[in-house]
Amino acid sequence: MGGLSPEDTVLNSEVYILRSRGLIGKVVDKLDLTQDPEFNPNLQPLSFKDMIKATLEDVIGVNAKATDAPQADMAGFPSEARQREDAINLVLQALSVRNLPSSLVFEVRAETTDPEKSAAIADTLVDLYILNQIEVKYEATEKAANWLADRVAELQVQLETAEARVKEFRSSTDVVNQETIIALERQLTDTRNRLSDTRMTLEEREAYLAALKQATTVEEKLRAANGDQRLEQLAARIDQPQIASAFDAQYQQIMSRVETDILRNRNQVEALTTSRDEFEARLNQQSNDLIRLQQLTREAESIRLLYEYFLARRNETSAQQGVHQADSRQLSQAVPPVNPVSPKKSLILMISAVLRFLLGA
């Protein structure tokens, strides 16, 4: 066995696996040992002792085999499941598995009444153990492949849903991108600057109009008019009635012009304020839409990455299903012995000869 740790717990675990009832049960099934009298005592002829015991049981009216009805059939034999369990127990008694010292090599021995049968049991156990390793890997891979397939299907549905949300959001809003946000910010900044300048101009014109209205004398009106040349020329001949009327008319004209400028500036302020509010609302909406779009896009992209990862893993797992190899290999086939391991006939004959000699002496 390869890939094992040389620790005693690991090696002993493999010994127990080789002697596990599940694996031995497969040996019994493959070699049909339940039909072998050596491993199914019910098929063996009754011994003299068993015949006497059966006769006594009939005389006293006790049938041991009939008392266990669930485990026996109509002919008095145990059920097939019970016979199989008995065969497994007998095979376990006939088997011995040991780890060769200072190695990862294991020796399997089977001792039965037939040398070919012993070799077949040992070889079958090893073959099934190696096959079981492949089956375990295959089952684990198949389970992983099925789980990955289900996961890939779920992620595919999630990916399609996420991409549909992104597409639907794009179609329900204006074209949202970073360039649009930058253009809106530039327009908003320009509008705010123009609004600030217009408000300053409006305040100046309102202050100018207030100064014009507060002036009462000719000198105050000249100062308030900021040295208007026409007024200065008329002020030089203010003593004349016609010139005084012309002075007042010119002054009123200046005030009317300032009032017109103020009205125009106020309209500009209102228009610019409305434009600023619209730009701010559009910018906020576009920013929120961009954030939402980026969030949906990131979610779709993360699901796509997961989908591609699990899809690749599923393909790799599916490709590995047919190339599993066992972690162990059989070094040699079981060798049927030429002579039985027991009983030791030569030893028995030698001991018998010694006893006969002693008895004769």
Side-chain angles (χ1 to χ4, degrees), residues 80-94:
E80 293 182 359
R82 182 69 264 173
Q83 294 181 44
R84 185 175 183 273
E85 294 299 324
D86 293 339
I88 292 174
N89 293 333
L90 292 174
V91 172
L92 283 172
Q93 295 177 9

Side-chain angles (χ1 to χ4, degrees), residues 127-178:
D127 291 340
L128 291 176
Y129 173 77
I130 296 174
L131 180 62
N132 181 69
Q133 289 183 338
I134 300 177
E135 289 177 348
V136 169
K137 290 184 177 181
Y138 181 83
E139 290 175 359
T141 305
E142 185 178 16
K143 185 182 296 183
N146 293 335
W147 183 84
L148 288 172
D150 295 339
R151 185 59 177 155
V152 166
E154 294 176 0
L155 288 173
Q156 184 176 4
V157 174
Q158 295 179 10
L159 178 60
E160 293 174 354
T161 304
E163 290 179 344
R165 285 202 299 265
V166 173
K167 184 177 180 180
E168 180 181 1
F169 186 79
R170 286 183 182 275
S171 62
S172 63
T173 57
D174 297 333
V175 179
V176 181
N177 50 49
Q178 193 65 34

Side-chain angles (χ1 to χ4, degrees), residues 34 88 96 110 199 228 291 323:
T34 55
I88 292 174
S96 65
R199 282 177 174 172
D228 186 85
I291 293 173
V323 294

Side-chain angles (χ1 to χ4, degrees), residues 100-118:
L100 300 183
S102 302
S103 72
L104 296 178
V105 179
F106 293 79
E107 182 184 70
V108 179
R109 296 172 61 90
E111 188 173 324
T112 68
T113 59
D114 181 80
E116 300 297 335
K117 186 196 303 181
S118 301

Side-chain angles (χ1 to χ4, degrees), residues 309-320:
Y309 171 76
F310 280 104
L311 181 62
R313 291 291 299 164
R314 188 199 66 177
N315 294 335
E316 292 176 1
T317 305
S318 300
Q320 292 175 357

Side-chain angles (χ1 to χ4, degrees), residues 5-23:
S5 172
E7 298 179 359
D8 292 339
T9 54
V10 177
L11 300 177
N12 292 333
S13 298
E14 294 302 320
V15 171
Y16 287 125
I17 292 174
L18 279 164
R19 290 181 55 84
S20 62
R21 297 186 66 85
L23 197 59

Side-chain angles (χ1 to χ4, degrees), residues 26-316:
K26 293 181 180 180
V27 175
V28 171
D29 296 337
K30 185 173 183 179
L31 298 179
D32 198 16
L33 296 181
T34 55
Q35 302 302 318
D36 190 330
E38 183 177 359
F39 297 101
N40 189 350
N42 298 285
L43 301 179
Q44 297 177 2
L46 291 177
S47 63
F48 181 73
K49 177 181 177 181
D50 292 335
M51 292 175 62
I52 294 176
K53 182 178 179 181
T55 302
L56 293 176
E57 288 176 350
D58 291 338
V59 171
I60 63 178
V62 177
N63 191 341
K65 292 183 179 180
T67 57
D68 192 6
Q71 299 292 332
D73 56 20
M74 297 302 296
F77 290 102
S79 64
E80 293 182 359
R82 182 69 264 173
Q83 294 181 44
R84 185 175 183 273
E85 294 299 324
D86 293 339
I88 292 174
N89 293 333
L90 292 174
V91 172
L92 283 172
Q93 295 177 9
L95 274 174
S96 65
V97 181
R98 72 185 185 99
N99 167 238
L100 300 183
S102 302
S103 72
L104 296 178
V105 179
F106 293 79
E107 182 184 70
V108 179
R109 296 172 61 90
E111 188 173 324
T112 68
T113 59
D114 181 80
E116 300 297 335
K117 186 196 303 181
S118 301
I121 292 175
D123 286 335
T124 302
L125 176 63
V126 173
D127 291 340
L128 291 176
Y129 173 77
I130 296 174
L131 180 62
N132 181 69
Q133 289 183 338
I134 300 177
E135 289 177 348
V136 169
K137 290 184 177 181
Y138 181 83
E139 290 175 359
T141 305
E142 185 178 16
K143 185 182 296 183
N146 293 335
W147 183 84
L148 288 172
D150 295 339
R151 185 59 177 155
V152 166
E154 294 176 0
L155 288 173
Q156 184 176 4
V157 174
Q158 295 179 10
L159 178 60
E160 293 174 354
T161 304
E163 290 179 344
R165 285 202 299 265
V166 173
K167 184 177 180 180
E168 180 181 1
F169 186 79
R170 286 183 182 275
S171 62
S172 63
T173 57
D174 297 333
V175 179
V176 181
N177 50 49
Q178 193 65 34
E179 290 75 13
T180 305
I181 301 296
I182 294 174
L184 285 174
E185 290 177 346
R186 188 180 299 112
Q187 291 177 351
L188 178 60
T189 301
D190 182 61
T191 302
R192 286 173 175 172
N193 293 334
R194 290 174 57 192
L195 177 60
S196 178
D197 295 340
T198 304
R199 282 177 174 172
M200 291 179 61
T201 302
L202 177 60
E203 291 174 357
E204 292 175 355
R205 302 307 288 176
E206 287 177 344
Y208 184 30
L209 180 62
L212 291 174
K213 289 181 178 181
Q214 290 176 359
T216 55
T217 64
V218 175
E219 291 77 9
E220 290 176 354
K221 290 181 178 179
L222 289 175
R223 285 195 300 272
N226 293 327
D228 186 85
Q229 293 181 0
R230 177 64 176 166
L231 285 180
E232 290 179 354
Q233 292 175 359
L234 294 173
R237 295 174 295 169
I238 196 64
D239 296 335
Q240 301 176 13
Q242 295 180 350
I243 299 300
S245 298
F247 181 87
D248 293 337
Q250 180 65 23
Y251 194 78
Q252 290 296 327
Q253 186 178 0
I254 293 174
M255 291 180 63
S256 298
R257 188 168 59 248
V258 173
E259 289 175 350
T260 302
D261 292 342
I262 290 174
L263 181 60
R264 184 176 62 253
N265 290 335
R266 286 176 179 174
N267 292 334
Q268 290 178 351
V269 167
E270 292 179 359
L272 290 173
T273 302
T274 302
S275 298
R276 182 202 61 186
D277 295 340
E278 291 177 355
F279 280 127
E280 288 179 349
R282 288 180 57 190
L283 181 60
N284 292 333
Q285 182 64 36
Q286 292 282 336
S287 299
N288 294 332
D289 290 345
L290 180 61
I291 293 173
R292 178 60 178 167
L293 179 61
Q294 290 175 344
Q295 181 181 1
L296 293 175
T297 304
R298 284 194 299 268
E299 290 178 359
E301 186 62 25
S302 62
I303 295 175
R304 178 183 296 278
L305 293 176
L306 282 175
Y307 171 76
E308 292 176 352
Y309 171 76
F310 280 104
L311 181 62
R313 291 291 299 164
R314 188 199 66 177
N315 294 335
E316 292 176 1

